Each structure stands twice: as structure tokens, then as C-alpha cells.
């Protein structure tokens, strides 16, 4: 497994990273509608070493008919940017893009372990990946970065709006009866209705989508192998 190389023009300062977000943000398509019945969906996740700045980025492609893995790729390297709130995507993007380039099966939708519009600067990881790849993308966060919400009803499929001021930036979605919800937001080329429907369809048995669960396993295994 080769080491991820960070592009020479990758932002090196918070000021440069924010300027890049400002440049790319207008390119985000928040209406979609996105694929209604995608056959191949990719989950993306990153695992970090307990010490140092080593990381492993995994992309796992699932066939939606049986939620079975049909392709996967992992890239291992170092965080490409410091830890700055609101700029976290810049740490992970080079490795995630490297892993995406290694796939042999082309996904129709990216499901990111992170946020899209539900971000302080309205440009989270799912937005950034969607714009750079041109693929429809959705963010699914375990915890919110921004916003207020009313608790959704306890039954699976219930949701409430995630609001930041006067803006609706996502949905708080219950994927299992009586279990903590997840936070769904549009990344790129998707409507919020479709993003919600796709995340629910990908989460038949657990709180998190099978795409996220598969990518989480793969990147943790890869990181453990690199360090072992």
C-alpha cells in the first residue's frame, strides 16, 4: 500500500483553506434530485492512529439490493492539514480521493461519515467531496456541528428539521426505534428528501448506514495492519 501524497497546492494555512471553501461553495448543487434507486453506493470513512497523525481512509462500494460489498480501496498516510474547527475536511480529502481513484466499481452515490450543508461554513466534507468528484454526495453525522432541532418521534423513519438560524441545513433522522438519531445533510447533487430516503434504506438493522459501517471496519483494519 503506497503512501498518500498531498498535492503541492494543498492549502497550508487556515486562511487559504477558508478561501478555497469560499471558491468552491457556490458550485454545490443542493437541489439534485440525485439517484432515486442507485445500484452502487460508496461509504467513506477515516480512522486515525491513537498517537501521531497517521490515518487510513477507506471507500467501500455496496450493491444496494443486498447491501453486499462489491469493491473497496484504502489509502494510508498522514493528515494533510492541522486540526482547525470548520476545516476538518482538509485533513482527510487527499487520502479519500486517493482511495476513490483506486476503485474499479464506479459508485453512483457517496455517503460520507460527516456533514454536508450542516456545517458552520455550509461546506462540510460531503460538499467538498461532491464538488471535487462531481458525484452525488450525502453527509451522515453521528453528532451535529451546528443547529437546533426537536427530537423526532421514536419510530424508525421519523425525522425533524435540523435548523441553523432561519436555514434548514439537514434532518435529524431516526434509523431505529428508540435509538439516537443521525444527522443527515445534502452534500452535492442531492435533494434533502432523497438524501433522507437513501440513508434510511441503507440502515435496515443498525443506527448507522451499512456503507458507513463497512468503511469504518475497513479503515480500522488497514490502520491496525500498518501499525502492527
Amino acid at each position: 500500500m503506497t503512501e498518500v501524497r498531498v498535492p503541492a497546492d494543498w492549502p497550508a494555512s487556515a486562511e487559504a483553506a477558508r478561501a478555497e471553501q469560499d471558491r468552491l461553495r457556490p458550485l454545490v448543487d443542493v437541489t439534485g434530485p440525485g439517484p432515486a434507486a442507485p445500484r452502487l453506493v460508496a461509504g467513506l470513512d477515516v480512522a486515525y492512529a491513537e498517537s501521531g497523525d497517521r490515518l487510513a481512509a477507506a471507500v467501500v462500494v455496496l450493491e444496494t439490493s443486498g447491501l453486499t460489498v462489491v469493491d473497496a480501496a484504502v489509502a494510508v498516510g498522514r493528515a494533510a492539514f492541522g486540526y482547525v474547527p470548520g476545516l476538518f475536511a482538509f485533513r482527510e480529502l487527499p487520502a479519500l480521493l486517493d482511495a476513490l481513484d483506486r476503485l474499479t466499481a464506479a459508485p453512483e452515490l457517496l455517503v460520507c461519515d460527516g456533514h454536508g450543508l450542516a456545517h458552520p461554513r455550509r461546506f462540510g466534507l460531503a460538499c467538498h467531496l461532491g464538488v471535487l468528484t462531481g458525484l452525488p454526495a450525502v453527509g451522515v453525522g453521528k453528532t451535529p456541528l451546528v443547529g437546533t432541532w426537536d427530537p423526532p418521534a421514536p419510530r424508525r423513519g421519523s425525522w425533524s428539521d435540523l435548523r441553523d438560524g432561519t436555514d434548514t441545513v439537514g434532518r435529524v433522522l431516526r434509523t431505529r426505534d428508540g435509538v439516537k438519531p443521525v444527522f443527515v445533510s445534502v452534500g452535492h447533487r442531492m435533494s434533502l428528501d432523497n438524501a433522507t430516503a437513501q440513508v434510511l434504506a441503507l440502515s435496515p438493522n443498525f443506527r448507522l448506514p451499512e456503507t458507513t459501517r463497512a468503511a469504518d471496519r475497513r479503515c480500522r483494519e488497514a490502520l491496525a495492519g500498518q501499525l502492527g
Side-chain angles (χ1 to χ4, degrees):
M1 189 177 299
T2 59
E3 186 83 3
V4 173
R5 292 186 178 181
V6 178
D9 60 351
W10 199 247
S13 68
E15 181 181 13
R18 293 189 185 101
E20 183 69 355
Q21 287 181 329
D22 291 341
R23 184 181 73 86
L24 296 176
R25 188 185 304 109
L27 304 179
V28 175
D29 176 352
V30 299
T31 58
R39 187 178 73 86
L40 298 179
V41 178
L44 300 92
D45 197 10
V46 176
Y48 288 84
E50 292 184 5
S51 60
D53 57 357
R54 297 288 293 172
L55 59 77
V59 182
V60 181
V61 181
L62 274 62
E63 190 166 24
T64 55
S65 60
L67 296 179
T68 54
V69 174
V70 297
D71 196 11
V74 178
V76 176
R78 298 188 181 279
F81 197 80
Y83 179 78
V84 181
L87 303 177
F88 199 76
F90 288 93
R91 293 173 61 81
E92 303 180 348
L93 275 165
L96 286 169
L97 291 170
D98 187 306
L100 277 165
D101 284 343
R102 300 183 192 195
L103 293 175
T104 57
E108 300 159 62
L109 174 64
L110 306 180
V111 179
C112 302
D113 179 37
H115 298 278
L117 289 181
H119 178 272
R121 295 176 55 79
R122 300 292 189 271
F123 197 73
L125 175 65
C127 295
H128 209 147
L129 269 170
V131 169
L132 292 183
T133 62
L135 292 170
V138 173
V140 184
K142 305 177 190 72
T143 56
L145 286 180
V146 296
T148 60
W149 66 95
D150 297 320
R155 297 300 302 272
R156 168 180 158 82
S158 300
W159 57 267
S160 61
D161 285 332
L162 178 62
R163 301 177 299 274
D164 188 21
T166 60
D167 297 333
T168 296
V169 295
R171 283 184 180 160
V172 185
L173 175 65
R174 193 86 66 182
T175 52
R176 291 193 68 198
D177 290 355
V179 171
K180 289 192 301 184
V182 295
F183 298 84
V184 179
S185 59
V186 170
H188 185 53
R189 294 181 56 199
M190 289 289 286
S191 69
L192 185 52
D193 283 343
N194 195 14
T196 305
Q198 298 304 326
V199 171
L200 191 63
L202 292 166
S203 311
N205 300 312
F206 298 94
R207 179 189 178 220
L208 296 177
E210 289 302 312
T211 41
T212 300
R213 287 165 45 80
D216 175 76
R217 285 193 297 271
R218 192 62 60 102
C219 63
R220 292 182 186 280
E221 290 168 358
L223 189 60
Q226 285 284 312
L227 298 177

